[in-house]
Amino acid sequence: MRTDNKELYPNQPVGLALGGGAVLGAAHIGVLHAIEELQIPVGWISGTSIGSLISALFAFGKTASEMESMLMDLSWRDVSELSLSKYGLLTNSKVKGFLKKHIGSKNFEDAFIPLAVVATDITTGDRVVLQQGNVLDAVMASMSIPGVYKPVRIGNQMLVDGGVVENVPVETLKELGADFTIGVDVNTRHKLSKPDNIIQVLANSFHFLISNATKYQASQADLLIQPDLTAYNWIDPRQAKGLMRKGYEEARAVLDGVLHAG
């Protein structure tokens, strides 16, 4: 996978930013399939929310095919449970167990590809870029939608979903040292379902709050992959297979177009 494509990427390895979008994040796996097929060298990877989970798996050596098998049958019950906390209706502590099962209890320093995970300090509103310490806790924090999931404490910070501050973490990639960045935005082009409960109301509200900022952040990438997911919604995990296929098809279209132009 670490090959050099001078025509498309004159600075050799690229930085890859995977954005948030709940269930829509399955499309990231299709994008990674395309990147692997084209042997595009990924030298840095960053992720927010569901993008942080996929980024962590990739940074620790999991292939797109392996991820597809892991996530195909994953449901909300596999990553969520009721919380007794006054800070959130649910806890996503099961995410930690899921990730530990597949990569072990790892620190950022152990990753094969330099990895950064974006979260938000709910006390200050600051962007928090996690690059050291326990990866499992960092991913939990980055995936904690405010009000839905209780925040995650890391050190003396109370952290929630990184989408509040940087849903497609392209700027984070540049800070890591990436000269050429690819952003993957799965959040902008999709439909919202009529909410059936308070959790879906909160999730939809969160989407509206971050949508404009997401468009700007994604536009800062040197190359943007933005699958048309208008036929899909945030919440139904049964869509995973279609989302992966759509991510792959649109990534190939974008990447092949640039390669042929070169």
Side-chain angles (χ1 to χ4, degrees):
M1 189 172 155
R2 293 174 176 275
T3 59
D4 186 14
N5 190 325
K6 297 283 188 183
E7 289 185 359
L8 180 55
Y9 307 110
N11 296 312
Q12 298 186 359
V14 305
L16 181 64
L18 303 184
V23 168
L24 300 172
H28 288 314
I29 297 173
V31 172
L32 290 173
H33 265 301
I35 285 173
E36 288 174 344
E37 280 188 355
L38 293 169
Q39 297 186 313
I40 294 171
V42 177
W44 304 265
I45 190 165
S46 63
T48 295
S49 200
I50 185 62
S52 73
L53 176 64
I54 305 300
S55 294
L57 290 169
F58 193 70
F60 281 90
K62 297 301 179 183
T63 66
S65 293
E66 289 172 328
M67 286 185 237
E68 183 175 346
S69 298
M70 289 176 209
L71 299 178
M72 181 60 72
D73 298 319
L74 202 65
S75 71
W76 284 112
R77 286 178 294 181
D78 296 319
V79 296
S80 305
E81 59 187 344
L82 287 174
S83 170
L84 299 178
S85 171
K86 62 184 178 181
Y87 295 116
L89 298 172
L90 304 174
T91 173
N92 65 358
S93 59
K94 287 185 176 180
V95 169
K96 187 172 184 176
F98 171 83
L99 204 50
K100 185 176 181 179
K101 174 183 176 181
H102 292 292
I103 68 171
S105 185
K106 300 291 188 180
N107 288 335
F108 281 87
E109 296 81 359
D110 302 321
F112 301 120
I113 300 171
L115 167 69
V117 167
V118 177
T120 305
D121 186 324
I122 198 59
T123 301
T124 64
D126 292 338
R127 178 182 62 140
V128 177
V129 179
L130 299 162
Q131 303 174 67
Q132 296 179 327
N134 188 272
V135 172
L136 313 186
D137 289 335
V139 171
M140 272 181 61
S142 185
M143 294 180 67
S144 294
I145 299 173
V148 176
Y149 293 108
K150 72 175 186 179
V152 175
R153 291 186 181 274
I154 296 181
N156 47 10
Q157 292 177 303
M158 183 181 286
L159 303 179
V160 297
D161 198 298
V164 175
V165 287
E166 193 182 24
N167 198 46
V168 182
V170 174
E171 187 60 33
T172 293
L173 277 182
K174 294 177 180 178
E175 292 169 359
L176 285 176
D179 292 316
F180 191 98
T181 57
I182 299 175
V184 186
D185 173 19
V186 297
N187 191 66
T188 301
R189 302 170 68 194
H190 75 99
K191 70 176 182 179
L192 291 177
S193 298
K194 180 181 178 181
D196 294 324
N197 53 57
I198 188 173
I199 292 171
Q200 292 177 16
V201 168
L202 289 169
N204 281 11
S205 299
F206 182 67
H207 163 78
F208 291 129
L209 286 170
I210 68 173
S211 58
N212 286 334
T214 297
K215 292 175 186 176
Y216 172 76
Q217 293 156 9
S219 71
Q220 302 307 297
D222 295 301
L223 188 64
L224 177 61
I225 298 172
Q226 195 175 57
D228 182 357
L229 305 180
T230 51
Y232 303 90
N233 63 63
W234 260 37
I235 59 175
D236 187 353
R238 293 172 297 179
Q239 304 170 114
K241 188 172 184 178
L243 286 162
M244 292 177 199
R245 182 177 63 250
K246 193 68 172 175
Y248 171 79
E249 291 171 351
E250 299 220 13
R252 281 300 306 236
V254 171
L255 295 168
D256 285 341
V258 176
L259 280 165
H260 292 153

